[in-house]
């Protein structure tokens, strides 16, 4: 089932008016205001409405047991329009008490002061939150949300094509992977992509950067500085270019949005993307080959470093708007929803949990071991005040297109990207 675990980025379009958000009646977090609330409004995406409504009802029941008579309202939104509606309501005095956010969306709202701080100690398993999710709710030493669930990235290839060049098992090392892909590329010819890797896919490209010991940007003394020109980052970017040059024979100006569709057309042997993409490619409406069902195999992406490739950890968080008059009860609802029972239910639906303890249990099940192991090594975007502007300007995507198409040498492209990032990354 296709489910976009990394939400559409909406940070930069946020209304400036939410910077004035404030609530004199309570400072936020469990036990600090709104403990006697008679009504609670929870905004979630349609993922919860369509796929795990029973978990929502269970959280409601837990809160209502503690607060008899409380009315709990639910509103559900699609990812494309959620933030537009949230921005509008945050400018008023009638705000939801709990709101679901894509983890890449959190930063812009935290910078603007839209969410109330919470005490992590009041939430079950907070000490074990996955690193990438924990980073997404943390800004300047304070916590402004609770991780909900996660989704990582895995490699996925066609067993039949691998077998046609004598490869019967998934590669364990990067050397084994590239050796197999080179055989496939030679056999299938120049119009085929042994590895369909969209050039503008910065999630994949930055995995190479972090695997090489580099990073997008580094923080020192409260200031962020772009780091793509460092020797380590350049090493990762050059390896990414090598992959695109050697194995990617599609349009080198495209992003990853339709990768599963291209994969379903039978034009490639492998992809590296979100865990849902393989299943979506094999869906009868997308599988134009008629061969993908029971023929796709996922595996943990090996990195050139010799370790598992660090993957971007997408997912959702839950936050409490600072204007909420029911912050204490909102925190109780979030804890009930994201606690042990909720995580068990989310894992049963194919999601990764928000914590390392539950993640470890998935490693013992062959059906879930690959995404669970892959998620153990992860990275997240720089938690810098101007990161939203970096994304809005598509600096990384343009860098990668310049590299992939050969418009600029890697060093020159990285230098230009660093300059562009440095102009905005510290700007609120």
């Amino acid at each position: 089932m296709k489910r976009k675990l990394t939400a559409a980025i909406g940070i930069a379009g946020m209304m400036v008016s939410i910077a004035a958000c404030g609530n004199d009646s309570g400072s936020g977090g469990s036990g600090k205001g709104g403990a006697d609330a008679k009504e609670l409004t929870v905004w979630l995406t349609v993922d919860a409405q369509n796929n795990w409504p029973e978990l929502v009802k269970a959280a409601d029941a837990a809160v209502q047991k503690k607060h008899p008579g409380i009315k709990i309202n639910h509103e559900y939104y699609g990812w494309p329009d959620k933030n537009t509606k949230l921005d509008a309501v945050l400018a008023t005095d009638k705000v939801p008490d709990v709101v679901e956010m894509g983890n890449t969306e959190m930063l812009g709202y935290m910078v603007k002061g839209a969410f109330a701080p919470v005490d992590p100690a009041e939430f079950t398993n907070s000490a074990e939150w996955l690193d990438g999710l924990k980073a997404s709710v943390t800004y300047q030493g304070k916590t402004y949300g609770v991780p909900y669930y996660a989704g990582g990235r895995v490699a996925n290839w066609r067993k039949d094509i691998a077998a046609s060049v004598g490869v019967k098992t998934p590669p364990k090392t990067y050397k084994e992977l590239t050796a197999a892909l080179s055989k496939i590329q030679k056999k299938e010819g120049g119009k085929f992509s042994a590895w369909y890797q969209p050039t503008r896919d910065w999630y994949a490209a930055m995995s190479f950067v972090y695997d090489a010991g580099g990073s997008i940007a580094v923080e020192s003394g409260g200031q962020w500085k772009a780091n793509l020109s460092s020797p380590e980052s350049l090493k990762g970017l050059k390896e990414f270019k090598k992959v695109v040059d050697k194995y990617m024979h599609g349009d080198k100006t495209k992003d990853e949005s339709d990768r599963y569709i291209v994969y379903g057309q039978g034009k490639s042997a492998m992809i590296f993307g979100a865990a849902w993409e393989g299943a979506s490619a094999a869906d009868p409406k997308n599988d134009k080959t008629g061969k993908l069902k029971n023929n796709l195999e996922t595996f943990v992406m090996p990195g050139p470093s010799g370790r598992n490739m660090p993957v971007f950890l997408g997912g959702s968080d839950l936050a409490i708007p600072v204007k909420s008059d029911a912050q204490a009860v909102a925190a109780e609802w979030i804890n009930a929803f994201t606690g042990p029972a909720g995580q068990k239910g989310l894992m049963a639906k194919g999601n990764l949990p928000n914590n390392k303890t539950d993640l470890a249990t998935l490693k013992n099940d062959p059906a879930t071991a690959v995404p669970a192991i892959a998620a153990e090594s992860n990275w997240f975007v720089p938690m810098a005040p101007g990161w939203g502007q970096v994304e809005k300007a598509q600096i990384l995507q343009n860098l990668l297109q310049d590299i992939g198409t050969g418009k600029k040498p890697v060093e020159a492209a990285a230098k230009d990207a660093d300059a562009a990032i440095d102009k905005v990354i510290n700007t609120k």
Side-chain angles (χ1 to χ4, degrees):
M1 174 174 53
K2 175 187 172 186
R3 184 158 61 249
K4 291 192 175 181
L5 299 180
T6 51
I9 306 301
I11 293 172
M14 186 175 16
M15 292 177 62
V16 175
S17 57
I18 69 172
C21 288
N23 183 0
D24 295 333
S25 63
S27 59
S30 177
K32 294 186 179 181
D36 57 350
K38 304 301 181 185
E39 190 170 346
L40 190 73
T41 298
V42 178
W43 280 20
L44 299 172
T45 67
V46 292
D47 295 333
Q49 182 182 33
N50 296 335
N51 301 306
W52 45 86
E54 70 280 7
L55 303 183
V56 177
K57 292 179 181 178
D60 289 352
V63 171
Q64 289 167 336
K65 182 177 181 180
K66 185 175 180 180
H67 301 275
I70 190 171
K71 180 182 180 183
I72 303 179
N73 308 303
H74 293 282
E75 295 186 28
Y76 296 93
Y77 296 91
W79 286 112
D81 61 352
K82 175 183 67 69
N83 284 6
T84 299
K85 294 179 179 180
L86 178 60
D87 294 345
V89 78
L90 287 178
T92 73
D93 292 323
K94 184 63 175 177
V95 300
D97 303 297
V98 177
V99 61
E100 177 181 350
M101 305 293 297
N103 63 347
T104 56
E105 299 172 335
M106 283 290 295
L107 179 58
Y109 288 83
M110 293 189 293
V111 169
K112 297 294 185 181
F115 297 143
V118 300
D119 181 0
E122 297 179 2
F123 298 91
T124 308
N125 280 332
S126 60
E128 295 295 314
W129 284 344
L130 300 180
D131 295 339
L133 294 186
K134 181 179 180 180
S136 75
V137 298
T138 306
Y139 181 64
Q140 294 187 339
K142 293 185 178 181
T143 303
Y144 291 92
V146 176
Y148 173 9
Y149 65 90
R153 281 166 166 71
V154 298
N156 184 301
W157 76 359
R158 287 181 54 172
K159 293 187 291 184
D160 58 339
I161 295 179
S164 72
V165 294
V167 179
K168 303 295 180 64
T169 58
K172 300 296 185 182
T173 68
Y174 191 72
K175 183 177 180 179
E176 291 176 356
L177 172 64
T178 54
L181 291 175
S182 294
K183 290 178 181 178
I184 291 170
Q185 192 64 65
K186 182 177 180 180
K187 178 177 181 294
E188 298 294 335
K191 293 184 178 181
F192 186 85
S193 295
W195 176 351
Y196 181 74
Q197 179 50 64
T199 310
R200 292 174 66 87
D201 177 12
W202 64 277
Y203 298 112
M206 293 304 108
S207 287
F208 280 88
V209 167
Y210 281 91
D211 179 71
S215 60
I216 300 170
V218 292
E219 188 267 341
S220 178
Q223 290 291 301
W224 287 85
K225 184 171 179 57
N227 192 47
L228 294 170
S229 294
S230 70
E232 296 83 2
S233 296
L234 287 174
K235 181 179 179 181
L237 289 171
K238 288 178 180 179
E239 186 61 39
F240 179 76
K241 175 175 171 55
K242 188 183 298 183
V243 166
V244 172
D245 287 349
K246 192 169 185 179
Y247 305 122
M248 166 61 177
H249 298 284
D251 184 346
K252 294 185 179 180
T253 66
K254 291 188 66 174
D255 64 18
E256 71 280 8
S257 59
D258 67 345
R259 173 168 45 208
Y260 69 98
I261 294 176
V262 176
Y263 197 32
Q265 292 171 342
K267 298 179 180 180
S268 58
M270 176 188 138
I271 59 173
F272 171 44
W276 56 262
E277 292 186 52
S280 294
D283 186 303
K285 67 177 180 290
N286 296 321
D287 179 10
K288 305 305 180 184
T289 71
K291 300 177 181 179
L292 299 188
K293 185 178 180 181
N294 301 320
N295 192 34
L296 297 183
E297 187 170 29
T298 60
F299 55 94
V300 178
M301 182 68 184
S305 67
R307 301 179 295 271
N308 291 342
M309 184 79 87
V311 298
F312 174 80
L313 197 62
S316 279
D317 301 321
L318 297 172
I320 303 171
V322 72
K323 286 186 177 182
S324 166
D325 292 323
Q327 291 177 20
V329 179
E332 292 175 12
W333 190 93
I334 291 174
N335 194 38
F337 191 52
T338 61
Q343 293 301 306
K344 183 178 180 180
L346 287 166
M347 289 189 291
K349 298 291 185 177
N351 301 291
L352 295 178
N354 67 2
N355 66 89
K356 298 172 185 176
T357 301
D358 287 326
L359 186 69
T361 67
L362 297 181
K363 293 164 59 178
N364 299 321
D365 184 345
T368 56
V370 168
I373 294 171
E376 288 184 312
S377 178
N378 58 77
W379 62 272
F380 197 63
V381 299
M383 296 302 285
W387 177 252
Q389 296 185 56
V390 175
E391 289 204 16
K392 181 182 179 182
Q394 298 192 359
I395 295 172
L396 295 179
Q397 292 94 322
N398 294 334
L399 155 74
L400 298 171
Q401 183 170 321
D402 286 345
I403 290 174
T405 59
K407 182 178 179 180
K408 295 179 183 178
V410 173
E411 290 86 354
K415 182 179 180 180
D416 290 346
D418 277 349
I421 290 172
D422 284 338
K423 286 181 180 179
V424 299
I425 196 167
N426 292 296
T427 304
K428 290 188 178 181

